[in-house]
Amino acid sequence: MSILMLIKKACRLGGCVRSFVLTRPAHLSFSSSNMAKSKFEYVRNFETDDTCLRNCYIVVRLDGRNFHKFAEQHKFTKPNDNRALGLMTRSARSVIEELEDVVIAYGQSDEFSFVFKRTSNWFKRRASKFMTHVASQFSSSYVFYWKEFFGEQPLLYPPGFDGRVVLYPSNRNLRDYLSWRQADCHINNLYNTVFWTLVQKGGLTTAQADERLKGTLAADKNEILFSEFGINYNNESALHRKGTTLIWEKRDETVTKRMKVPNQEEKDMAVTRSRKRVEAYHCDIIGEQFWEDHPDILEDDN
């Protein structure tokens, strides 16, 4: 009997039905996924499968978009602005704390690379999800923490970062990638240090400094710094020469807690606990020492 016929019968018997409860029979139940079906759903077939290959490290690298102009507009100190580098590191820390499958991150200048462990199943290993989550978390953190590093200096316009996802199947591949980025840091920073020293202390124009450095090797640049300005490049800040490496580490932390001792009054007691935190290093990651000191970062090659 249909629902409409039941209502009509009830009206004949009781005169009028002011309220009633309809219960859907079990065989008529349907899920929300069925409700979502429509003739337009075929457009989902245009989505491409971007699942990352399993048993590979997933690396997401972000680069500042048009940051040369951004640095000029916001009057960054040349050749390195510690406020800007600190803000980059703070934003990267925010990403790692939000996405704990990141085992190591490396950054220099206006870029940061985030390495997700091989076994990560975040976002069902969809590359687009990794990239967009990292980029959005990093960008929003950069804006959120701006005042912490630049004080009252205003952020004139939103910064932009582009990203890419690359897979590395072995520990050697991953280490070579990170070594490449740190070598790039050294090459760029040495050039910028000499360039801006020639401009700021040597009185050259930017065009003259650029011409002076054409064709020079690392040894030539070191010689210019030392012989003309008395600067030993090896004594420059490790932050600038080596970049920043972020990893998870367990550290013992001692806090004071007010505790009640049996048969005694409450008193302050020191309690030590182990806590996992993101720690920053400004050191060489091309050689073996760093990896020997932190053997848990890399997973065994199968």
Side-chain angles (χ1 to χ4, degrees):
M1 185 179 295
S2 69
I3 293 176
L4 182 59
M5 291 177 65
L6 285 172
I7 293 173
K8 288 182 177 179
K9 184 176 180 181
C11 288
R12 286 198 301 270
L13 294 174
C16 181
V17 177
R18 295 186 180 275
S19 64
F20 52 87
V21 177
L22 299 179
T23 303
R24 183 189 298 117
H27 68 279
L28 291 179
S29 63
F30 47 92
S31 66
S32 57
S33 61
N34 289 332
M35 289 181 68
K37 297 287 185 182
S38 74
K39 66 178 182 179
F40 307 111
E41 194 173 5
Y42 78 92
V43 297
R44 293 183 62 183
N45 297 326
F46 287 89
E47 296 181 17
T48 57
D49 181 14
D50 62 347
T51 302
C52 294
L53 188 67
R54 293 197 174 275
N55 202 35
C56 290
Y57 293 104
I58 300 172
V59 176
V60 180
R61 185 166 98 233
L62 299 184
D63 291 278
R65 182 180 176 275
N66 202 7
F67 249 56
H68 178 74
K69 176 184 174 184
F70 185 87
E72 286 185 348
Q73 293 280 328
H74 291 88
K75 297 180 173 58
F76 283 9
T77 304
K78 303 292 186 180
N80 292 290
D81 191 310
N82 288 335
R83 301 169 302 170
L85 293 173
L87 179 55
M88 288 287 292
T89 298
R90 182 63 187 88
S91 302
R93 188 188 299 271
S94 174
V95 172
I96 299 172
E97 291 170 346
E98 181 70 21
L99 306 174
E100 293 186 15
D101 275 5
V102 176
V103 292
I104 185 171
Y106 176 77
Q108 51 112 351
S109 186
D110 64 341
E111 74 167 58
F112 241 102
S113 297
F114 301 89
V115 181
F116 288 82
K117 62 186 181 181
R118 279 174 164 168
T119 55
S120 177
N121 201 36
W122 279 87
F123 322 121
K124 297 182 179 179
R125 294 182 70 87
R126 291 186 60 185
S128 56
K129 291 286 189 178
F130 276 97
M131 186 171 64
T132 53
H133 273 71
V134 170
S136 61
Q137 183 70 31
F138 191 93
S139 300
S140 59
S141 297
Y142 195 95
V143 174
F144 184 82
Y145 293 111
W146 174 269
K147 276 196 171 184
E148 187 176 314
F149 293 87
F150 285 87
E152 295 306 311
Q153 179 177 330
L155 180 62
L156 302 178
Y157 59 89
F161 296 89
D162 61 58
R164 72 202 71 187
V165 176
V166 186
L167 305 182
Y168 294 99
S170 71
N171 290 339
R172 184 74 265 166
N173 293 151
L174 177 64
R175 283 190 54 181
D176 284 348
Y177 167 78
L178 294 170
S179 296
W180 170 48
R181 300 322 304 147
Q182 187 166 67
D184 187 73
C185 173
H186 164 70
I187 293 168
N188 291 337
N189 189 67
L190 177 58
Y191 180 90
N192 290 333
T193 300
V194 182
F195 179 90
W196 287 106
T197 300
L198 288 170
V199 172
Q200 295 168 353
K201 296 183 178 181
L204 300 186
T205 65
T206 54
Q208 290 170 333
D210 186 57
E211 186 64 30
R212 173 80 187 277
L213 294 176
K214 276 185 180 178
T216 57
L217 303 176
D220 302 321
K221 295 180 179 71
N222 276 292
E223 182 61 26
I224 291 173
L225 284 174
F226 188 75
S227 62
E228 297 184 25
F229 302 99
I231 297 174
N232 185 339
Y233 180 73
N234 291 326
N235 294 333
E236 294 294 294
S237 168
L239 165 63
H240 304 154
R241 292 184 294 111
K242 303 293 186 181
T244 300
T245 302
L246 299 175
I247 61 173
W248 284 104
E249 280 195 336
K250 283 185 178 180
R251 293 289 177 90
D252 288 337
E253 187 179 81
T254 302
V255 296
T256 301
K257 280 192 171 183
R258 193 159 187 80
M259 303 179 68
K260 187 173 184 179
V261 181
N263 303 321
Q264 297 183 32
E265 294 182 356
E266 287 187 355
K267 62 178 182 178
D268 292 334
M269 298 183 68
V271 178
T272 301
R273 58 189 177 187
S274 182
R275 177 168 287 185
K276 198 177 175 185
R277 295 177 55 185
V278 178
E279 298 292 340
Y281 288 87
H282 311 295
C283 64
D284 177 73
I285 59 173
I286 297 176
E288 298 297 326
Q289 190 61 54
F290 175 82
W291 303 100
E292 291 174 0
D293 292 342
H294 305 93
D296 296 335
I297 295 175
L298 300 178
E299 301 171 62
D300 292 335
D301 283 330
N302 293 331

